[in-house]
Amino acid sequence: MKPVKRIEIVIEEIELDNVIGELDRIGVVGYTIVPRAVGRGERGVRYESVPGLGNVLMTIACDERQANQVIEAIRPILKRYGGVCLVSDAMWVVHDS
């Protein structure tokens, strides 16, 4: 196993292209996107009532240096449009050995 930082980002789907653009700019090579993330937050219960206007969950596994780059790159988007970003320690199960 390999230690990594796990970054989870919940944002409005309409902002997804902006976040992906920032990830591309700083060289993030992999992430997972889960569409239609629903739940409850400070703005109340969130459901996708109109296609394309719901939330998505992005998950990224990377080293600490790149995690810091991701955080700084998406901070302005989160500040402007809202969302959640969580960073935690994780273990990546290396499957190619």
Side-chain angles (χ1 to χ4, degrees):
M1 292 190 290
K2 172 182 169 184
V4 294
K5 293 294 184 182
R6 177 186 172 124
I7 303 173
E8 296 172 285
I9 305 166
V10 178
I11 56 161
E12 291 187 18
E13 187 175 355
I14 199 164
E15 292 306 317
L16 185 58
D17 287 341
N18 288 337
V19 173
I20 290 172
E22 287 299 310
L23 297 178
D24 288 344
R25 182 182 65 77
I26 61 175
V28 172
V29 296
Y31 47 81
T32 300
I33 299 171
V34 180
R36 295 182 291 282
V38 299
R40 181 177 176 172
E42 61 186 28
R43 297 181 190 158
V45 177
R46 180 67 182 236
Y47 298 105
E48 181 183 11
S49 56
V50 178
L53 296 180
N55 285 338
V56 298
L57 168 66
M58 299 184 75
T59 303
I60 303 164
C62 58
D63 64 27
E64 187 168 357
R65 179 192 59 80
Q66 194 161 56
N68 290 327
Q69 290 178 317
V70 170
I71 293 163
E72 292 310 311
I74 68 163
R75 190 184 306 268
I77 296 170
L78 295 173
K79 185 176 182 179
R80 197 171 328 126
Y81 300 106
V84 174
C85 178
L86 302 172
V87 180
S88 56
D89 294 323
M91 296 298 287
W92 187 329
V93 177
V94 180
H95 53 76
D96 61 352
S97 54

